[in-house]
Every structure is written in structure tokens, then in C-alpha cells.
Amino acid sequence: MIAPATLVTGLLFYFGFARTRAQGAYFGIDTSVLGFSSQDYLLRSVDTTFWPVSMILLLSLGAGLLHSAANRWIETVRAPGRALRLGLALAAAGLLSFGFGLLNILWRPVVSADRVFLVPMTLVLGVSAASYGGYLAVRARWAMSASSSSPPVHHRPSRFHVGVLATLVILGLFWTVGDYADGVGRQRARSLAMNLSVLPSVVVYSRSPLFLDGPGIEVRTLGRGRDRLYRYSGLRLLIHAQDKYFLLPEGWTAQSGQAIVLPDAEAVRFDFSAR
């Protein structure tokens, strides 16, 4: 089985990658151009994954405690009958949840694009609830069939079934986290695009013309001859990665805007300001 630390690290990395991919795609930037390392993706995921990852860990801990309590409860007097009904109800609820997820995938989505992570989440919850409900029902039947003079038979699922279920749950978690991160990335990109003034203002000076064009960009020529400089203003710094500056025109829009990528070597100087 996968260690909890390995699973959490994998979820954090995938979240950071999916969020960066969605946010960059909104501005027309592919993640391969950014050249982020695994550590970069991990760091970019920490601020928004604390709540969902904490919930996953708490739910896992709670599920383990409930499983132990359920086994003890089934063995008590008159509990097997109630455990059987609970198991059947839980299995039915799981099948309904799984059916809702399939409905969104195969027929007509009923959730918004930013909440599409609810679809794999219902699939994961459905498979888990149906499987555990079936386990409770079978476990209760074995307890009920045991004679009073003999100890109850402990019916345990095979390692194969547990392994398959664990694999499905882990894949579902990555699917859920990926869709959630995708929605977070799009939301942050839209929020940023509506208020580009929160990004640092950039002025680029170059000895050769860079032919930068976009809404809000202003070009001025300074000096003459060999001392001539080209000054480009009206730019905002989106991100700096791998010795490249990713800039946006101040009048950037999702319909007509484009991102500008400048390596350090092409500019004489970059001036940044908070205004």
C-alpha cells in the first residue's frame, strides 16, 4: 500500500501542476514553457490545498475509527440485525452516488465547470460507500448465522478486493484533486484578469527594437545612434521562471490579449514598480 506521506506529496504535486496548467492556459501559456520543477509545483499548491488535503486525512482517520467501532458493535447483542440494515442502506446510498457521477459523465452535466470536481468525488464516495455497505451486510449475516455456543465467524475481504478498492479510491482522489485544482486555477486567473493592477508594473529598456504590441503598450525612443534605447511601458509582470519574464499588456483581455515572453538577454533593463 502507498504510505500516507507519499500519497499526500503526490496529491500536492498534482494539484500544483493542474492549477498552474489551468491558470497558465487562461493567459495562453503552456506549462512546458514555464519549466517548473517538482518543488515549484509543490510550493505553488500549499496555499490552496491545506483545506482539502486536511479533510482527506481527517476523513481517512475517521473511517478507520468507525471501522473498528463497527466491528465491535456488530458483535454485541441484537446489533447484527441493525448492522445488516445499515449496511444495505449504505450500499444503496453508494450506488445512488455512483449513478449521479455516471449521469454527469455519460449524459448531461448538472454541475458548473468550476465545480466539476464533484463528479469524481461522488464516484469515489459511491464506490467506497457501496463496498463498505456490502462488507457490513455480509459481516452482519455471518454474525447472525453464528450459533450462540460458537464464536462469531470473522468474514474479511480478500487482499485482492481491498487492493482493487484502494486503487480505485486513490485514482478517484487524483481525479478529484485535478478537477478541483483546475477550477481553482481558472477562478484565480479570471480574478487576476479583472484587476491586472495588482501585478507589478514593468518598463523594459532594450538597445534593439522588440516590436512589442498589445493594448496599453507604449513605445518611446530614447537617445540617438549607439546610445539609442527603446522604452516599452504599459506592461505587467505575470510570472518570472527559468530566466524568462512573462508579461501582460495592461489592456489584456481574454478575447484579444496575448502574453509576452522575454528572456533576460533581450533587454537591457527591467524596471518594476507596485503601481
Side-chain angles (χ1 to χ4, degrees):
M1 299 297 292
I2 299 178
T6 303
L7 178 59
V8 171
T9 302
L11 288 172
L12 289 175
F13 169 80
Y14 188 60
F15 186 98
F17 171 78
R19 198 200 82 176
T20 303
R21 178 185 59 191
Q23 191 168 350
Y26 188 86
F27 294 106
I29 301 172
D30 189 82
T31 52
S32 61
V33 182
L34 296 174
F36 280 164
S37 64
S38 300
Q39 184 177 3
D40 293 326
Y41 288 123
L42 288 173
L43 292 175
R44 290 176 66 83
S45 70
V46 171
D47 60 333
T48 47
T49 54
F50 179 80
W51 181 82
V53 171
S54 297
M55 289 302 297
I56 290 174
L57 293 176
L58 288 175
L59 288 174
S60 300
L61 178 61
L65 295 176
L66 286 176
H67 174 66
S68 300
N71 280 330
R72 292 192 299 268
W73 178 57
I74 291 174
E75 297 174 359
T76 61
V77 179
R78 297 180 182 178
R82 284 177 285 180
L84 176 61
R85 292 190 293 271
L86 176 61
L88 293 176
L90 189 60
L95 291 176
L96 287 175
S97 178
F98 188 80
F100 175 79
L102 285 182
L103 178 69
N104 281 268
I105 295 175
L106 302 178
W107 189 48
R108 181 180 298 174
V110 295
V111 296
S112 63
D114 290 336
R115 298 186 180 275
V116 72
F117 67 91
L118 293 175
V119 175
M121 181 184 293
T122 57
L123 293 176
V124 172
L125 292 177
V127 170
S128 302
S131 300
Y132 195 71
Y135 164 79
L136 278 182
V138 173
R139 180 79 170 78
R141 282 187 178 276
W142 276 81
M144 293 170 65
S145 63
S147 62
S148 58
S149 59
S150 61
V153 179
H154 295 275
H155 178 75
R156 299 181 185 277
S158 65
R159 291 185 178 181
F160 173 77
H161 290 95
V162 173
V164 171
L165 177 61
T167 302
L168 289 174
V169 170
I170 291 172
L171 290 176
L173 283 177
F174 275 92
W175 186 2
T176 303
V177 166
D179 285 349
Y180 176 71
D182 197 81
V184 171
R186 286 196 302 269
Q187 288 178 349
R188 290 202 168 191
R190 285 196 296 265
S191 176
L192 193 60
M194 293 175 61
N195 189 18
L196 291 178
S197 61
V198 301
L199 297 175
S201 177
V202 184
V203 177
V204 181
Y205 296 88
S206 174
R207 292 193 178 276
S208 58
L210 299 176
F211 306 104
L212 303 184
D213 187 24
I217 297 180
E218 298 180 359
V219 185
R220 291 178 56 189
T221 303
L222 306 177
R224 296 181 180 180
R226 295 182 177 180
D227 296 329
R228 178 177 299 174
L229 290 176
Y230 296 89
R231 182 182 185 274
Y232 297 87
S233 59
L235 296 163
R236 295 286 174 172
L237 176 65
L238 180 62
I239 194 171
H240 177 260
Q242 294 295 314
D243 297 327
K244 294 188 290 287
Y245 292 92
F246 295 82
L247 310 175
L248 294 176
E250 288 189 345
W252 186 94
T253 62
Q255 292 73 28
S256 59
Q258 61 183 1
I260 299 171
V261 184
L262 289 180
D264 288 343
E266 290 192 13
V268 174
R269 190 174 78 232
F270 288 87
D271 286 353
F272 303 95
S273 64
R275 59 181 177 82

